[in-house]
Amino acid sequence: MSAPIFRDPIEDGAADPVVVRREGTDEWWMFYTNRRAGAEGPKFSWIHGSAIGLAMSIDGGASWHYRGTVAGLDDPADTPGGNTHWAPEILFAEGQYHMFLSYISGVPDDWRGIPRTMTHFTSPDLVRWTRVGPINLSSRRVIDACVFKCPDGRWRMWYKDEAAGSSTWSASSADLFDWQLEGRVLAGSPYGDPHEGPNVFALGGYYWLIVDEWHGQGVFRSDDTRLWKRQGLIGADPGAHEADQRYMRHADVLAFRDHAAMFYFTHPEWDERSQAEGPPDVAARRTAIHQARLTVVDGVLLCDRDVPAGVGLLG
């Protein structure tokens, strides 16, 4: 129970998953940050230079199969293949697919002072991507977009602003192309808990926002996607499987009638509590994708990360 459902067979660094159904088929496509766990280089080089990996399921998420990496996402002004692609958000709307990608020029070896750009792409088929361009948001250090159609009829994007204490901000759009900045949604350091990876979904009569707090997923509830009240933390307690003992990190959620499927990643071999500065070696850098079942009981979001092997939650 709670065994990994996917590991990247080349880099072994799959992280930040997002899952989308290919319209008109039974195919589910998982896009993810393809971290380079074994890469040489100083400091944080290994977490940069990543492509976007792709896996597919044809059995409702019970099994996943590697399909390579996504081409054509580099800025035309940058050296092809020598850049950083993080945390894609992908959805189908208005007859086409949209990707909102966290993009960094080059392969930096540190975090500080490095611009990150939220870049929009479109596709007719999830394979061929056309670059629309960068989105002007609250700073030049924004990552981890989540986009959701809200009850006020507008699309809303939540994202992490690293230049504002790792807080969550939002922008809204009528058409997914023109975005208006709205402001800070959840405070980061020093006024609150720093976090990343916001994800919004509807389940059980409420809207939910989860964020990766690096010791589990912070949970917030809303009636309208505008005002959020903290409910608690999920994913801090270990799962039953030996490879699912670590904190749930950067998750994606797909909601269905009576449950939601949450896809998250872990570092199975990193002792996060005693090695807080980061993974100390290649083994600790390696990651795995897992799934969990979410339900709502009496207005409370419940998480079961001990899903038996071979069970698909997509549908």
Side-chain angles (χ1 to χ4, degrees):
M1 297 174 69
S2 81
I5 59 170
F6 180 76
R7 296 186 74 148
D8 183 271
I10 309 300
E11 302 287 359
D12 207 7
D16 313 331
V18 61
V19 175
V20 60
R21 185 174 69 87
R22 192 178 189 194
E23 294 294 308
T25 76
D26 293 326
E27 299 171 2
W28 292 91
W29 291 34
M30 178 193 294
F31 295 78
Y32 57 90
T33 305
N34 197 29
R35 292 180 178 177
R36 303 176 303 136
E40 297 181 355
K43 300 175 71 173
F44 301 110
S45 301
W46 66 277
I47 211 166
H48 296 90
S50 49
I52 296 302
L54 174 62
M56 182 189 294
S57 175
I58 56 174
D59 55 12
S63 61
W64 294 88
H65 307 281
Y66 179 67
R67 292 293 303 270
T69 57
V70 181
L73 302 181
D74 286 327
D75 187 323
D78 291 333
T79 302
N83 304 290
T84 301
H85 311 84
W86 282 350
E89 164 71 322
I90 299 177
L91 65 151
F92 183 81
E94 306 299 332
Q96 61 184 338
Y97 299 94
H98 298 260
M99 177 191 295
F100 298 91
L101 177 71
S102 306
Y103 181 83
I104 301 171
S105 297
V107 187
D109 62 9
D110 207 344
W111 313 112
R112 300 176 183 176
I114 305 299
R116 294 95 153 83
T117 303
M118 198 69 71
T119 305
H120 183 192
F121 298 81
T122 60
S123 172
D125 55 11
L126 291 175
V127 177
R128 297 166 293 158
W129 292 96
T130 298
R131 188 175 190 271
V132 177
I135 301 170
N136 187 26
L137 296 169
S138 52
S139 82
R140 297 187 64 212
R141 299 194 59 192
V142 297
I143 62 172
D144 297 353
C146 167
V147 178
F148 185 80
K149 187 69 172 291
C150 294
D152 61 7
R154 295 183 64 81
W155 295 96
R156 190 156 280 111
M157 176 190 295
W158 294 264
Y159 62 91
K160 175 188 179 183
D161 189 334
E162 292 190 335
S166 294
S167 53
T168 292
W169 290 60
S170 71
S172 68
S173 173
D175 60 7
L176 293 169
F177 289 90
D178 295 316
W179 293 90
Q180 290 78 50
L181 181 65
E182 294 182 327
R184 188 171 62 188
V185 177
L186 302 178
S189 179
Y191 307 108
D193 293 322
H195 54 270
E196 64 185 7
N199 195 268
V200 172
F201 58 98
L203 184 67
Y206 299 96
Y207 298 99
W208 303 93
L209 167 62
I210 60 172
V211 293
D212 182 0
E213 296 181 351
W214 310 305
H215 58 98
Q217 301 286 316
V219 178
F220 298 80
R221 195 181 80 178
S222 175
D223 294 321
D224 59 5
T225 72
R226 302 301 302 275
L227 298 175
W228 298 94
K229 182 178 181 180
R230 186 177 178 92
Q231 185 180 88
L233 191 71
I234 61 174
D237 296 327
H241 193 274
E242 62 181 7
D244 194 26
Q245 299 294 297
R246 308 306 184 191
Y247 303 129
M248 289 182 172
R249 292 178 176 268
H250 194 128
D252 181 46
V253 179
L254 285 83
F256 300 94
R257 185 178 62 84
D258 59 357
H259 78 283
M262 180 167 72
F263 298 91
Y264 61 96
F265 82 96
T266 67
H267 286 271
E269 298 175 73
W270 175 22
D271 185 355
E272 299 157 308
R273 290 176 173 84
S274 63
Q275 300 166 338
E277 294 302 314
D281 52 35
V282 171
R285 293 175 182 175
R286 295 171 184 150
T287 55
I289 305 294
H290 305 256
Q291 65 178 350
R293 183 192 303 270
L294 302 180
T295 55
V296 176
V297 177
D298 295 330
V300 177
L301 185 71
L302 303 179
C303 175
D304 177 10
R305 70 189 289 177
D306 293 332
V307 178
V311 172
L313 299 178
L314 296 170

